[in-house]
Amino acid sequence: MSSVIWYLYEFARKTWIDRFLNAKTDPEIAEAPSRFRDFPEVQKDLCISCGACVFSCPSQGAIKLVRDEERENIFPVINKSSCIRCGFCVEVCPTEPKTLKTGENYLIMEEYRILPQEKVYIADEYLCIRCKKCLEACKIGAINFKDNVISIDQSKCVSCGDCINACPVKGAIKETYIINIDEQKEIINTLIKSLEGTINLEVERIRKLPDHDPDKIIKLEYPLADYLQKARNIIPNDEMIIKTVEKVTDRLKMNIITWDDEKCNQCRLCVNECPTGAIKYDEKIGKVERDPEKCLRCTICYQTCPFGVPGLYVARFLLKNNVILITLKPSQIPIRG
Amino acid sequence: MIKEFIRKRSIHVCLVCTGGCNGCDIEVAALLSQRYDLEQYGIYYHNNPRESDALLVTGTVAKQWQEKLVEFYNKVPEPKAVVAIGACALSGGIFQQESDKVGAPVSDVIPVDAEVPGCPPRPAEIAIAVLKYVPPTLASYRRKI
């Protein structure tokens, strides 16, 4: 009898009392897994203050460039209360190693390649309509269709370009040159500089556009002939130049900042807000001055200024018959006092 | 004193969605599932503000909610606590705009005791915030004489 009672006591102690006294939450539930995208961490010293993270952010006011007076360094600061943890800022960060860090994104891992090729073909999951014409066009079977997603096997692809001819959607298969990267960068920089120059010639006309009227636009044209001469000096490959220009004009959204000195009341609110120090107060003349060379087009001065001195306009581009069509619009970003 | 002791160990919460994408509400619903099992921590879920100690507020506080949220808050018996959940409740998140349609942050409308950032936050983060910040708020309440 006593042994039975002892056995029951032991059973109860082991199964119930121990667990009750040492109750703990399963660590798997309480802790986030390693691939979890948490709020990005910022390494201040690595930042090159390009402002890419601010532009990529889909949530307003989640990320802001701040200037550190002591170290003369500019770095992004993340406002946790409006950050949505999408990780876009980490993806676009160009520094190596990255200034912003978050959980590992297994979707953008590098792939192994064997054949030396000039171009890479990548299928875009979002634009693809799953017509499977490229599957039939590919002669070597490098294109796979799995889980309702078209993907191109980079280790098999020979860059013949048959898939892009068969594809009925523009941009669903992307063709990218992976040679002459530095020359491509130079081509893009020259293009952007000359486009900005064209727009700056018309500043007086742009300033007269009424604010926040989305119907009013300015249309400009930029013929490519002069630019092609310059680009040919950089790299004599017309196909590459036109492809690069087309890609740039399809994606580019340029912020144009105008500066109206007459409206300025020298309140100097913008001087402290400017992350790069492009806006300075000259004490000798008693005037606030902006240096367009240093400006990042972050639009903070536009949102700060109570008198409407900086104007913000958005330019979009389209390549048609060797002419770049430019459309200018007042920005839709609200002004915060 | 007994009341305080009991209040720390059984927190009754009421979820109020004030116009968001419902993502945060789904995370709160996940807390009720077997994996997280909210009631093992002594948190009980109600849809009635009159029988709850803490309000869990999600969403951007849309125009229609701005007066009703105050009504809701007044219906909760003292002592009470408010936990704002998600980017919408803290700053307006992706719905943030210059107009009277969005009343975020919640702290503009009613006093907030704890804030859980994220879009949406993990269920564990919500449970930790409720367990960490609601009992001290309830304990610090002194009856007005």
Side-chain angles (χ1 to χ4, degrees), chain A residues 197-321:
Chain A
T198 322
I199 292 168
N200 280 341
L201 290 177
E202 302 281 337
V203 166
E204 287 304 318
R205 244 178 88 198
I206 297 168
R207 250 186 229 162
K208 282 171 194 161
L209 270 178
D211 276 355
H212 299 289
D213 190 352
D215 300 332
K216 294 283 167 67
I217 52 172
I218 284 188
K219 285 177 182 171
L220 303 172
E221 282 185 6
Y222 177 70
L224 266 185
D226 291 348
Y227 168 74
L228 279 177
Q229 286 296 336
K230 276 188 217 164
R232 272 179 203 136
N233 291 335
I234 297 166
I235 186 161
N237 185 345
D238 268 22
E239 195 196 347
M240 184 194 267
I241 295 167
I242 293 290
K243 283 257 165 72
T244 318
V245 170
E246 199 180 354
K247 246 179 242 166
V248 169
T249 49
D250 278 354
R251 287 194 207 164
L252 187 65
K253 188 182 110 184
M254 203 186 269
N255 282 356
I256 307 290
I257 307 251
T258 57
W259 195 262
D260 198 344
D261 266 335
E262 290 170 10
K263 286 184 187 168
C264 185
N265 288 13
Q266 324 297 341
C267 68
R268 283 170 266 166
L269 276 175
C270 50
V271 177
N272 288 331
E273 287 287 326
C274 183
T276 55
I279 303 175
K280 272 184 183 155
Y281 180 68
D282 199 331
E283 290 195 357
K284 283 175 195 166
I285 323 169
K287 207 176 170 190
V288 176
E289 280 178 341
R290 169 174 171 266
D291 182 5
E293 288 291 312
K294 274 189 178 178
C295 182
L296 285 177
R297 279 89 171 150
C298 66
T299 75
I300 288 175
C301 55
Y302 170 74
Q303 294 181 36
T304 312
C305 184
F307 304 108
V309 178
L312 177 62
Y313 301 90
V314 180
R316 286 182 182 279
F317 307 89
L318 182 71
L319 179 69
K320 214 172 190 180
N321 302 333

Side-chain angles (χ1 to χ4, degrees), chain B residues 19-40:
Chain B
C21 71
N22 278 104
C24 302
D25 306 74
I26 291 167
E27 298 300 307
V28 175
L31 271 178
L32 302 170
S33 69
Q34 293 92 330
R35 184 179 166 84
Y36 292 97
D37 193 13
L38 197 62
E39 298 197 353
Q40 71 175 306

Side-chain angles (χ1 to χ4, degrees), chain B residues 5 11 17 28 37 39 41 54-55 65 82 99 116 122 124 128 133 137 144:
Chain B
F5 182 82
I11 307 161
C17 176
V28 175
D37 193 13
E39 298 197 353
Y41 305 109
L55 277 183
W65 265 103
V82 177
S99 72
V116 192
R122 306 185 73 234
I128 289 167
Y133 295 106
T137 317
K144 284 166 201 157

